[in-house]
Amino acid sequence: PDNSVISSTISPGSYSSKDCFNSSQCGRLPVYDTNAVLLEAMSRILSAVAWPYANGPRHIGHVAGFGVPSDVFSRYMRMAGHDVLMVSGTDEHGTPILVAADGAGVSARELADQNNRLIVEDLVALGLSYDLFTRTTAGNHYRVVQDMFATVRDNGYMIEQVTRAAISPSTGRTLPDRYIEGTCPICGAEGARGDQCDNCGNQMDPTELINPHSRINGETPKFVESTHYFLDLPALADALSAWLDEREKSGTWRPNVIKFSQNFLEDIRPRAMTRDIDWGIPVPGWEDQPTKRLYVWFDAVIGYLSASIEWARRTGDPEAWRKWWNDPEALSYYFMGKDNIVFHSQIWPAEMLGYNGQGAKGGAPGDLGVLNLPTEVVSSEFLTMEGKKFSSSHGIVIYVRDFLSRYQADALRYFISAAGPETSDSDFTWAEFVRRTNGELVAGWGNLVNRTASMIAKKFGEIPSPGELEDIDRALLDAVEAGFETVGNLIRHHRQKAALSEAMRLVGEANKYVTDTEPFKLKAPEQQQRLATVLWTLAQAVTDLNLMLSPFLPHAANDIDRVMGGAGEIAPMPYIEDVEELDPQVLPADFEGRDGYPIITGDYTNVPTWERHPITVGTPIAKPTPVFVKLDESIVEEELARYADAHPDDVTGA
């Protein structure tokens, strides 16, 4: 297509996305160019969500980057009629798992099992609507990763090189690049890691660092020679550059992400994809070397593909995943924090190009077929805590589980959506959390819902039949209905803060309508028809706004739907399912005795369409209870004191 014309469109609500593509009577639907993301007809959308690392529970900074933004987007896109596949899982390989396991006195597998379930439970409590949330220690993942490695190698893009590996003198264990710090030789910044300097953004080799030392125990690493497989990035550089240039021309990527990605091409070099470690996926062809494993970042990014394949296998249609990965018209969006950009805009695309045989050395794809490269890498910046960088190791942290034990999940989702690190770093403070919860959720949206339902319950007991609408009524209804297009366009372009701001502006318009019409003063018998009209107008506006806010506030959306006489099922929720291992035969001996694991999944096929749904006159409305919990101002000092008690040496008390 020429990006300007669609030959046919389908009106929202006239079809079921999954039924449509499975129907023999439904032909292939034209869509806008994938770069424009202006999708009037149905498209398949892969929502690829960064894999939380399983060395411990996740904190709110993590879910601000990968969790809430991806869920808001996925929920909206389903409601807009698109066929969404949202996948992720826990990332469980690598030295940090071994280090954490040693500290806890358990095996790496035991630690991974414990943290996997904790993370699964936390993400479900937050309402993240995964089609499948799995793990990298699943047999299916091992099989897909090894198949992909073998094809990339056979196509010539994995080359053997002798390199100097960092060894811990005290343990004899390999130190991963990220566990070595020193002074950057390029910009002179302290704290540069062995794989990257965050200050100047350049890739590093640990041997290049000035005064390198282990982050684990401070000792100076010993460098020894070792043979490893390297991904031949220079042989893929032209293809990567052409792809990134195409992405830049699309204008859809955030400028910081595309520029950061292109800058890496200026000093591209082969990158090691194997490690001297005994915890990870065995290297195909090196089965006689049990202390060599695939690099955790090589296998983790393949998880998006393996999770899609596992989802298809578990749904009874093993080839269904191909609709999102082999169809060039399918779209894919990768959600993460900015520290993972390079792995998603360079390493993962390079792996796919190598697998597809699309680099300088040519080659042919394997059984997985030609794989789609990312449509967009949607990277968020960092969330800090009271002015400090989140750090689990230093105790500067608010774990998701602890947060949700004291506060509503949607209060956290609202803060992240309204004030999170979408395009620049942002700061979480307890004072701001209380202010936004009380001033915006409770006094704004919650108050509108509560007084609308209260007045209807008291005066009529059901949604009344309206009389003739006045200009003020039509103005509110028209403004709110127009919000579906405005808010939807902002979400699909990953401008979620602006989308939520617009929805809340409309909440303000509805509250102003109450002030202007003063329904509480319409008490005379001759005013009852006008009262019915005003309350009907408010009921329709609240119903519309609830649908509009449901991607951001799914728990509250269901509660409010019940308040307004509905079934409370407009925002389908994920659930945990314990499943059996699909490929136990490919797992190493470490996994003997593990029969299965928990996954997150859900049924999201019956979501309401993204448009006005006319309310039904006569729907019973009972006296409501508040949906949002107002917070006492004292919690600010309580939470700061809780942190100070845990960190008595922190003189700032932040």
Side-chain angles (χ1 to χ4, degrees), residues 601-630:
T601 188
D603 181 2
Y604 315 111
T605 55
N606 295 319
V607 296
T609 49
W610 186 260
E611 61 186 340
R612 168 165 289 164
H613 291 252
I615 56 176
T616 301
V617 170
T619 300
I621 303 293
K623 182 180 179 181
T625 55
V627 172
F628 300 108
V629 177
K630 184 176 182 179

Side-chain angles (χ1 to χ4, degrees), residues 16 130 146 312 520 539 572 632:
S16 164
Y130 294 101
Q146 290 178 325
F520 38 84
D632 193 287

Side-chain angles (χ1 to χ4, degrees), residues 146-405:
Q146 290 178 325
D147 287 351
M148 190 157 185
F149 174 87
T151 299
V152 174
R153 179 198 60 200
D154 294 347
N155 279 342
Y157 299 102
M158 286 290 176
I159 53 178
E160 291 188 46
Q161 289 186 0
V162 176
T163 185
R164 296 176 68 199
I167 303 294
S168 167
S170 62
T171 66
R173 180 178 290 163
T174 300
L175 286 170
D177 296 347
R178 285 199 163 201
Y179 268 61
I180 304 171
E181 287 187 348
T183 302
C184 176
I186 299 174
C187 70
E190 299 293 333
R193 299 191 308 270
D195 63 345
Q196 178 180 317
C197 174
D198 287 339
N199 185 62
C200 64
N202 284 288
Q203 293 185 67
M204 288 288 122
D205 186 285
T207 60
E208 298 173 332
L209 293 174
I210 301 170
N211 298 321
H213 59 273
S214 167
R215 290 176 54 195
I216 300 171
N217 55 20
E219 65 186 3
T220 301
K222 178 183 178 182
F223 291 96
V224 299
E225 288 191 346
S226 182
T227 300
H228 286 284
Y229 274 111
F230 281 68
L231 180 61
D232 192 358
L233 289 171
L236 297 160
D238 287 345
L240 274 172
S241 179
W243 170 68
L244 285 171
D245 288 347
E246 177 190 346
R247 297 296 89 200
E248 183 180 31
K249 291 176 183 177
S250 76
T252 58
W253 284 37
R254 292 172 178 168
N256 61 318
V257 178
I258 192 68
K259 291 302 180 185
F260 186 81
S261 304
Q262 290 172 322
N263 287 343
F264 274 106
L265 294 174
E266 297 175 3
D267 185 31
I268 199 166
R269 65 183 83 172
R271 187 153 186 169
M273 290 293 138
T274 57
R275 289 290 188 270
D276 292 298
I277 189 176
D278 56 6
W279 172 246
I281 299 179
V283 183
W286 282 0
E287 287 80 6
D288 59 339
Q289 301 185 58
T291 60
K292 289 189 183 293
R293 293 287 191 271
L294 291 172
Y295 177 34
V296 62
W297 266 112
F298 177 83
D299 92 74
V301 289
I302 298 174
Y304 303 114
L305 174 60
S306 70
S308 302
I309 293 172
E310 182 181 344
W311 166 82
R313 294 176 70 187
R314 294 198 182 279
T315 58
D317 184 0
E319 299 299 305
W321 63 272
R322 293 186 183 276
K323 299 170 186 176
W324 285 269
W325 286 91
N326 294 153
D327 182 352
E329 292 186 359
L331 309 179
S332 55
Y333 300 88
Y334 290 73
F335 294 85
M336 74 214 63
K338 66 179 178 181
D339 53 335
N340 291 337
I341 291 175
V342 64
F343 298 103
H344 293 83
S345 67
Q346 186 183 93
I347 302 301
W348 177 223
E351 290 177 29
M352 287 192 281
L353 288 167
Y355 183 89
N356 294 345
Q358 294 173 328
K361 298 179 179 179
D367 293 339
L368 299 174
V370 176
L371 302 173
N372 293 338
L373 271 64
T375 302
E376 185 170 356
V377 173
V378 187
S379 170
S380 298
E381 301 296 297
F382 288 148
L383 182 70
T384 56
M385 171 188 166
E386 299 285 351
K388 296 184 176 182
K389 184 178 179 180
F390 275 100
S391 171
S392 299
S393 60
H394 292 92
I396 304 172
V397 66
I398 308 170
Y399 290 116
V400 172
R401 175 160 301 214
D402 292 342
F403 193 102
L404 298 186
S405 70

